[in-house]
């Protein structure tokens, strides 16, 4: 397991351990995929890779024993690490290089706290986007903010305010209403689906 002193004194190392599976002493640059062919399953098939249908909750560990609550977004980085927005659990989860489900950040208590991964909180996170060398961007819907989980293990605000609204301008003054998804353009700027305002923002 990840040591507490790593979590609190070195957030960047904590981030690497959660995503790489280093806490399980098995270094790898690629996520371990289930061997469906050995099960007699050949493409094209739809299979459950994580969670159990209609079994809601929060549990980390082996993917098929893991539990989620209304997950709403999934992305994969270049290294094959899977990131999940576990919306009603108010958590960002990952399937790491050892094919284990881990909680990257957030807790069952909804809120808005920045800082180290174990201390941060979200409120119905939905959309995810990953930018190499920078980190994971989160549309934190009920906080009306775009947040970032940096690769050095910190959560911070990128844009938005606690109060819902529609204000264009600098990231310091911009307002959103329940942002639902985020994506990057070729210029590495962020496009936000601003659900409550029925528009797209950049």
């Amino acid at each position: 397991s990840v040591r507490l002193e790593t979590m609190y004194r070195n957030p960047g190392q904590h981030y690497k351990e959660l995503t790489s599976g280093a806490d399980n002493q098995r270094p790898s640059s690629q996520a371990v995929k289930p061997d469906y062919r050995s099960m007699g399953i050949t493409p094209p098939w739809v299979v459950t890779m994580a969670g159990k249908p209609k079994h809601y909750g929060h549990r980390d560990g082996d993917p098929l024993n893991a539990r989620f609550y209304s997950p709403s977004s999934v992305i994969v980085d270049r290294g094959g690490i899977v990131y999940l927005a576990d919306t009603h659990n108010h958590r960002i989860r990952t399937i790491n290089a050892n094919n284990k489900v881990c909680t990257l950040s957030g807790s069952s208590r909804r809120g808005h706290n920045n800082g180290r991964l174990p201390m941060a909180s979200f409120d119905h996170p939905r959309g995810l986007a990953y930018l190499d060398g920078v980190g994971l961007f989160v549309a934190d819907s009920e906080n009306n903010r775009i947040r970032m989980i940096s690769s050095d293990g910190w959560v911070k605000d990128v844009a938005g305010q606690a109060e819902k609204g529609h204000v264009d301008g600098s990231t310091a003054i911009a307002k959103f209403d329940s942002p639902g998804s985020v994506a990057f353009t070729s210029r590495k700027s962020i496009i936000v689906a601003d659900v409550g305002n029925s528009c797209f923002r950049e």
Side-chain angles (χ1 to χ4, degrees):
S1 62
V2 179
R3 298 182 301 276
L4 286 176
E5 61 266 28
T6 299
M7 294 167 62
Y8 289 94
R9 296 179 188 172
N10 191 338
Q13 181 63 24
H14 179 47
Y15 179 94
K16 291 177 182 177
E17 288 183 351
L18 286 173
T19 56
S20 70
D23 54 317
N24 292 318
Q25 307 300 316
R26 184 182 176 182
S28 173
S29 61
Q30 295 291 324
V32 180
K33 307 295 192 303
D35 185 5
Y36 296 121
R37 291 183 184 275
S38 69
M39 306 175 195
I41 300 172
T42 56
W45 284 80
V46 175
V47 297
T48 298
M49 64 173 290
K52 187 174 182 179
K54 305 300 183 182
H55 284 66
Y56 311 112
H58 173 263
R59 181 191 298 165
D60 288 332
D62 294 332
L64 293 180
N65 289 323
R67 297 292 181 267
F68 305 90
Y69 191 5
S70 296
S72 59
S73 184
V74 57
I75 61 168
V76 183
D77 70 13
R78 286 188 178 182
I81 306 301
V82 180
Y83 298 92
L84 310 153
D86 194 1
T87 302
H88 283 199
N89 275 323
H90 314 295
R91 291 173 166 97
I92 306 302
R93 314 277 292 281
T94 179
I95 303 177
N96 67 22
N98 283 339
N99 199 36
K100 299 292 184 183
V101 176
C102 300
T103 296
L104 185 62
S105 190
S107 69
S108 59
R109 180 173 295 182
R110 57 197 289 187
H112 173 259
N113 289 311
N114 289 320
R116 296 177 176 90
L117 293 176
M119 305 299 293
S121 58
F122 299 85
D123 190 348
H124 291 85
R126 296 190 185 278
L128 299 175
Y130 188 85
L131 184 61
D132 284 336
V134 179
L136 183 69
F137 289 73
V138 181
D140 196 5
S141 181
E142 295 303 308
N143 276 320
N144 305 304
R145 290 177 167 98
I146 306 303
R147 316 273 297 280
M148 181 180 73
I149 301 176
S150 64
S151 55
D152 60 358
W154 291 82
V155 177
K156 59 189 76 175
D157 291 340
V158 176
Q161 310 289 330
E163 181 183 350
K164 294 180 179 181
H166 180 275
V167 175
D168 287 332
S170 71
T171 56
I173 66 170
K175 288 185 179 182
F176 301 93
D177 185 349
S178 305
S181 64
V182 286
F184 282 98
T185 70
S186 59
R187 303 186 307 276
K188 298 184 178 180
S189 62
I190 303 173
I191 294 178
V192 179
D194 195 1
V195 176
N197 282 317
S198 299
C199 61
F200 292 89
R201 318 278 295 282
E202 183 179 2

